[in-house]
Amino acid sequence: MRFSTRGRYGLKAMFVLAQHYGQGPLPLKQVAEDQGISEAYLEQLIGELRKSGLVKSVRGAQGGYLLGKAPDRITVGDIIRVLEGPIAPADCVIEDEELDLCDQADKCVTRLIWERVRDSVSEVLDSMSLADMLAKASEIQGGSPQCQPISQ
């Protein structure tokens, strides 16, 4: 299972917002520069995160973006699902009642594998919050929870 730049860049942007939590809005240009991400691309990602309630926007000269919830209430899974869609290695295990892609789902042995993969990945992503990432970054980097720019 591989995540696209949408999920990876979006997670990095959310991490930067978490680093500045409680300090007021952060201009998107600063987030883009800090992470080496195109501002135009980041605008698209932030727009989706804003619609989901994970990010809030503030207009005006001192405007920018900030987290919609405390860092301990936003999981990596929340972010990835908004930007990447359902976490599923195969279409037949997407948790959506309206999808009925396979008439043999009840008898399919490979589907059981894809369900276990989906559940394991979801468990990992949902077990780590932005606050956990901040704590880990501080531990790894000797008290300075900063992310390195992304290579494009």
Side-chain angles (χ1 to χ4, degrees), residues 8-36:
R8 295 192 324 265
Y9 289 8
L11 182 57
K12 290 225 178 227
M14 292 292 285
F15 180 75
V16 171
L17 293 179
Q19 288 176 306
H20 293 88
Y21 184 72
Q23 300 173 17
L26 193 62
L28 196 58
K29 182 176 185 167
Q30 183 178 340
V31 176
E33 287 174 1
D34 285 353
Q35 294 303 309

mmCIF file of all heavy atoms in Angstrom, residues 8-36:
data_model
loop_
_atom_site.group_PDB
_atom_site.id
_atom_site.type_symbol
_atom_site.label_atom_id
_atom_site.label_comp_id
_atom_site.label_asym_id
_atom_site.label_seq_id
_atom_site.Cartn_x
_atom_site.Cartn_y
_atom_site.Cartn_z
ATOM 1 N N ARG A 8 0.956 12.384 2.108
ATOM 2 C CA ARG A 8 2.254 12.671 2.731
ATOM 3 C C ARG A 8 2.441 14.164 2.963
ATOM 4 O O ARG A 8 2.845 14.590 4.053
ATOM 5 C CB ARG A 8 3.383 12.105 1.864
ATOM 6 C CG ARG A 8 3.342 10.577 1.795
ATOM 7 C CD ARG A 8 4.590 9.954 1.188
ATOM 8 N NE ARG A 8 5.205 10.678 0.109
ATOM 9 C CZ ARG A 8 5.000 10.463 -1.189
ATOM 10 N NH1 ARG A 8 4.131 9.548 -1.573
ATOM 11 N NH2 ARG A 8 5.645 11.154 -2.104
ATOM 12 N N TYR A 9 2.159 14.990 1.959
ATOM 13 C CA TYR A 9 2.322 16.436 2.112
ATOM 14 C C TYR A 9 1.295 17.005 3.079
ATOM 15 O O TYR A 9 1.591 17.904 3.863
ATOM 16 C CB TYR A 9 2.202 17.148 0.765
ATOM 17 C CG TYR A 9 3.349 16.946 -0.192
ATOM 18 C CD1 TYR A 9 4.378 16.049 0.048
ATOM 19 C CD2 TYR A 9 3.398 17.674 -1.369
ATOM 20 C CE1 TYR A 9 5.413 15.878 -0.853
ATOM 21 C CE2 TYR A 9 4.447 17.510 -2.276
ATOM 22 C CZ TYR A 9 5.439 16.609 -2.002
ATOM 23 O OH TYR A 9 6.471 16.446 -2.896
ATOM 24 N N GLY A 10 0.071 16.483 2.999
ATOM 25 C CA GLY A 10 -0.973 16.948 3.909
ATOM 26 C C GLY A 10 -0.622 16.669 5.361
ATOM 27 O O GLY A 10 -0.841 17.507 6.242
ATOM 28 N N LEU A 11 -0.055 15.500 5.619
ATOM 29 C CA LEU A 11 0.357 15.159 6.979
ATOM 30 C C LEU A 11 1.477 16.085 7.450
ATOM 31 O O LEU A 11 1.465 16.572 8.586
ATOM 32 C CB LEU A 11 0.801 13.697 7.050
ATOM 33 C CG LEU A 11 1.225 13.191 8.420
ATOM 34 C CD1 LEU A 11 0.113 13.367 9.458
ATOM 35 C CD2 LEU A 11 1.658 11.733 8.325
ATOM 36 N N LYS A 12 2.430 16.378 6.570
ATOM 37 C CA LYS A 12 3.518 17.295 6.941
ATOM 38 C C LYS A 12 2.968 18.691 7.245
ATOM 39 O O LYS A 12 3.389 19.329 8.203
ATOM 40 C CB LYS A 12 4.554 17.359 5.826
ATOM 41 C CG LYS A 12 5.334 16.067 5.696
ATOM 42 C CD LYS A 12 6.776 16.374 5.560
ATOM 43 C CE LYS A 12 7.575 15.096 5.469
ATOM 44 N NZ LYS A 12 8.716 15.126 6.342
ATOM 45 N N ALA A 13 2.027 19.162 6.430
ATOM 46 C CA ALA A 13 1.424 20.482 6.655
ATOM 47 C C ALA A 13 0.676 20.514 7.990
ATOM 48 O O ALA A 13 0.787 21.483 8.748
ATOM 49 C CB ALA A 13 0.491 20.844 5.513
ATOM 50 N N MET A 14 -0.060 19.449 8.282
ATOM 51 C CA MET A 14 -0.789 19.387 9.545
ATOM 52 C C MET A 14 0.176 19.342 10.725
ATOM 53 O O MET A 14 -0.090 19.916 11.778
ATOM 54 C CB MET A 14 -1.717 18.166 9.561
ATOM 55 C CG MET A 14 -2.874 18.274 8.585
ATOM 56 S SD MET A 14 -4.067 19.548 9.061
ATOM 57 C CE MET A 14 -4.898 18.720 10.407
ATOM 58 N N PHE A 15 1.311 18.698 10.546
ATOM 59 C CA PHE A 15 2.324 18.664 11.596
ATOM 60 C C PHE A 15 2.846 20.073 11.880
ATOM 61 O O PHE A 15 3.001 20.468 13.038
ATOM 62 C CB PHE A 15 3.472 17.724 11.196
ATOM 63 C CG PHE A 15 4.556 17.644 12.222
ATOM 64 C CD1 PHE A 15 4.380 16.926 13.393
ATOM 65 C CD2 PHE A 15 5.759 18.292 12.024
ATOM 66 C CE1 PHE A 15 5.389 16.857 14.347
ATOM 67 C CE2 PHE A 15 6.773 18.220 12.969
ATOM 68 C CZ PHE A 15 6.585 17.502 14.133
ATOM 69 N N VAL A 16 3.082 20.853 10.831
ATOM 70 C CA VAL A 16 3.544 22.235 11.004
ATOM 71 C C VAL A 16 2.479 23.042 11.753
ATOM 72 O O VAL A 16 2.799 23.803 12.672
ATOM 73 C CB VAL A 16 3.892 22.894 9.652
ATOM 74 C CG1 VAL A 16 4.166 24.385 9.817
ATOM 75 C CG2 VAL A 16 5.086 22.202 9.015
ATOM 76 N N LEU A 17 1.212 22.875 11.389
ATOM 77 C CA LEU A 17 0.139 23.587 12.096
ATOM 78 C C LEU A 17 0.090 23.148 13.564
ATOM 79 O O LEU A 17 -0.158 23.969 14.449
ATOM 80 C CB LEU A 17 -1.203 23.350 11.416
ATOM 81 C CG LEU A 17 -1.367 23.952 10.019
ATOM 82 C CD1 LEU A 17 -2.749 23.605 9.450
ATOM 83 C CD2 LEU A 17 -1.152 25.461 10.025
ATOM 84 N N ALA A 18 0.345 21.871 13.808
ATOM 85 C CA ALA A 18 0.365 21.379 15.196
ATOM 86 C C ALA A 18 1.516 22.003 15.976
ATOM 87 O O ALA A 18 1.366 22.321 17.157
ATOM 88 C CB ALA A 18 0.472 19.854 15.206
ATOM 89 N N GLN A 19 2.646 22.204 15.319
ATOM 90 C CA GLN A 19 3.796 22.839 15.977
ATOM 91 C C GLN A 19 3.448 24.255 16.439
ATOM 92 O O GLN A 19 4.015 24.744 17.402
ATOM 93 C CB GLN A 19 4.987 22.920 15.029
ATOM 94 C CG GLN A 19 5.648 21.597 14.760
ATOM 95 C CD GLN A 19 6.752 21.740 13.736
ATOM 96 O OE1 GLN A 19 6.545 22.243 12.642
ATOM 97 N NE2 GLN A 19 7.938 21.295 14.102
ATOM 98 N N HIS A 20 2.542 24.912 15.724
ATOM 99 C CA HIS A 20 2.171 26.298 16.033
ATOM 100 C C HIS A 20 0.815 26.390 16.732
ATOM 101 O O HIS A 20 0.245 27.474 16.834
ATOM 102 C CB HIS A 20 2.152 27.123 14.738
ATOM 103 C CG HIS A 20 3.518 27.290 14.149
ATOM 104 N ND1 HIS A 20 4.048 26.384 13.268
ATOM 105 C CD2 HIS A 20 4.452 28.235 14.336
ATOM 106 C CE1 HIS A 20 5.263 26.770 12.929
ATOM 107 N NE2 HIS A 20 5.540 27.883 13.563
ATOM 108 N N TYR A 21 0.302 25.257 17.214
ATOM 109 C CA TYR A 21 -1.008 25.240 17.854
ATOM 110 C C TYR A 21 -1.025 26.206 19.045
ATOM 111 O O TYR A 21 -0.111 26.235 19.859
ATOM 112 C CB TYR A 21 -1.355 23.825 18.325
ATOM 113 C CG TYR A 21 -2.729 23.714 18.910
ATOM 114 C CD1 TYR A 21 -3.855 23.779 18.096
ATOM 115 C CD2 TYR A 21 -2.913 23.549 20.277
ATOM 116 C CE1 TYR A 21 -5.124 23.676 18.626
ATOM 117 C CE2 TYR A 21 -4.176 23.442 20.817
ATOM 118 C CZ TYR A 21 -5.283 23.515 19.984
ATOM 119 O OH TYR A 21 -6.546 23.425 20.519
ATOM 120 N N GLY A 22 -2.072 27.014 19.101
ATOM 121 C CA GLY A 22 -2.225 27.975 20.187
ATOM 122 C C GLY A 22 -1.499 29.286 19.971
ATOM 123 O O GLY A 22 -1.561 30.174 20.815
ATOM 124 N N GLN A 23 -0.810 29.421 18.845
ATOM 125 C CA GLN A 23 -0.051 30.639 18.557
ATOM 126 C C GLN A 23 -0.725 31.510 17.494
ATOM 127 O O GLN A 23 -0.120 32.456 17.014
ATOM 128 C CB GLN A 23 1.354 30.272 18.075
ATOM 129 C CG GLN A 23 2.148 29.486 19.091
ATOM 130 C CD GLN A 23 3.468 28.984 18.531
ATOM 131 O OE1 GLN A 23 3.942 29.466 17.506
ATOM 132 N NE2 GLN A 23 4.059 28.017 19.198
ATOM 133 N N GLY A 24 -1.942 31.178 17.120
ATOM 134 C CA GLY A 24 -2.647 31.941 16.106
ATOM 135 C C GLY A 24 -2.460 31.349 14.726
ATOM 136 O O GLY A 24 -1.738 30.372 14.544
ATOM 137 N N PRO A 25 -3.129 31.947 13.741
ATOM 138 C CA PRO A 25 -3.084 31.403 12.381
ATOM 139 C C PRO A 25 -1.697 31.512 11.747
ATOM 140 O O PRO A 25 -0.942 32.440 12.041
ATOM 141 C CB PRO A 25 -4.104 32.243 11.612
ATOM 142 C CG PRO A 25 -4.399 33.409 12.453
ATOM 143 C CD PRO A 25 -3.988 33.115 13.853
ATOM 144 N N LEU A 26 -1.409 30.562 10.895
ATOM 145 C CA LEU A 26 -0.124 30.494 10.202
ATOM 146 C C LEU A 26 -0.373 30.688 8.709
ATOM 147 O O LEU A 26 -1.208 29.992 8.134
ATOM 148 C CB LEU A 26 0.512 29.128 10.464
ATOM 149 C CG LEU A 26 1.956 28.923 10.105
ATOM 150 C CD1 LEU A 26 2.857 29.857 10.919
ATOM 151 C CD2 LEU A 26 2.350 27.475 10.378
ATOM 152 N N PRO A 27 0.319 31.628 8.077
ATOM 153 C CA PRO A 27 0.133 31.821 6.630
ATOM 154 C C PRO A 27 0.530 30.560 5.869
ATOM 155 O O PRO A 27 1.543 29.926 6.177
ATOM 156 C CB PRO A 27 1.076 32.971 6.288
ATOM 157 C CG PRO A 27 1.377 33.648 7.581
ATOM 158 C CD PRO A 27 1.274 32.581 8.645
ATOM 159 N N LEU A 28 -0.258 30.216 4.873
ATOM 160 C CA LEU A 28 0.004 29.027 4.072
ATOM 161 C C LEU A 28 1.354 29.117 3.371
ATOM 162 O O LEU A 28 2.053 28.115 3.214
ATOM 163 C CB LEU A 28 -1.116 28.833 3.048
ATOM 164 C CG LEU A 28 -1.195 27.466 2.397
ATOM 165 C CD1 LEU A 28 -1.366 26.373 3.438
ATOM 166 C CD2 LEU A 28 -2.327 27.426 1.400
ATOM 167 N N LYS A 29 1.733 30.322 3.000
ATOM 168 C CA LYS A 29 3.019 30.524 2.340
ATOM 169 C C LYS A 29 4.162 30.047 3.240
ATOM 170 O O LYS A 29 5.119 29.423 2.766
ATOM 171 C CB LYS A 29 3.200 32.005 1.992
ATOM 172 C CG LYS A 29 4.479 32.302 1.259
ATOM 173 C CD LYS A 29 4.554 33.760 0.847
ATOM 174 C CE LYS A 29 5.798 33.989 0.012
ATOM 175 N NZ LYS A 29 5.790 35.274 -0.657
ATOM 176 N N GLN A 30 4.059 30.320 4.526
ATOM 177 C CA GLN A 30 5.099 29.893 5.466
ATOM 178 C C GLN A 30 5.158 28.366 5.564
ATOM 179 O O GLN A 30 6.233 27.781 5.585
ATOM 180 C CB GLN A 30 4.867 30.504 6.844
ATOM 181 C CG GLN A 30 5.953 30.148 7.844
ATOM 182 C CD GLN A 30 5.748 30.803 9.191
ATOM 183 O OE1 GLN A 30 5.027 31.788 9.323
ATOM 184 N NE2 GLN A 30 6.366 30.247 10.206
ATOM 185 N N VAL A 31 3.986 27.723 5.623
ATOM 186 C CA VAL A 31 3.936 26.259 5.687
ATOM 187 C C VAL A 31 4.573 25.681 4.426
ATOM 188 O O VAL A 31 5.393 24.762 4.499
ATOM 189 C CB VAL A 31 2.486 25.753 5.840
ATOM 190 C CG1 VAL A 31 2.436 24.234 5.816
ATOM 191 C CG2 VAL A 31 1.840 26.301 7.112
ATOM 192 N N ALA A 32 4.214 26.243 3.277
ATOM 193 C CA ALA A 32 4.747 25.759 2.002
ATOM 194 C C ALA A 32 6.265 25.915 1.948
ATOM 195 O O ALA A 32 6.982 24.992 1.539
ATOM 196 C CB ALA A 32 4.088 26.504 0.846
ATOM 197 N N GLU A 33 6.760 27.070 2.365
ATOM 198 C CA GLU A 33 8.203 27.315 2.353
ATOM 199 C C GLU A 33 8.925 26.400 3.340
ATOM 200 O O GLU A 33 9.977 25.846 3.017
ATOM 201 C CB GLU A 33 8.503 28.783 2.670
ATOM 202 C CG GLU A 33 8.159 29.722 1.540
ATOM 203 C CD GLU A 33 8.337 31.193 1.915
ATOM 204 O OE1 GLU A 33 8.743 31.492 3.060
ATOM 205 O OE2 GLU A 33 8.054 32.046 1.053
ATOM 206 N N ASP A 34 8.372 26.254 4.531
ATOM 207 C CA ASP A 34 8.993 25.399 5.556
ATOM 208 C C ASP A 34 9.155 23.962 5.065
ATOM 209 O O ASP A 34 10.130 23.301 5.398
ATOM 210 C CB ASP A 34 8.161 25.380 6.845
ATOM 211 C CG ASP A 34 8.279 26.651 7.660
ATOM 212 O OD1 ASP A 34 9.108 27.516 7.314
ATOM 213 O OD2 ASP A 34 7.521 26.778 8.643
ATOM 214 N N GLN A 35 8.179 23.495 4.302
ATOM 215 C CA GLN A 35 8.173 22.101 3.884
ATOM 216 C C GLN A 35 8.605 21.877 2.434
ATOM 217 O O GLN A 35 8.662 20.740 1.979
ATOM 218 C CB GLN A 35 6.783 21.503 4.102
ATOM 219 C CG GLN A 35 6.401 21.413 5.557
ATOM 220 C CD GLN A 35 7.404 20.594 6.351
ATOM 221 O OE1 GLN A 35 7.756 19.483 5.979
ATOM 222 N NE2 GLN A 35 7.888 21.155 7.444
ATOM 223 N N GLY A 36 8.878 22.951 1.701
ATOM 224 C CA GLY A 36 9.286 22.799 0.310
ATOM 225 C C GLY A 36 8.185 22.248 -0.569
ATOM 226 O O GLY A 36 8.427 21.450 -1.467
#
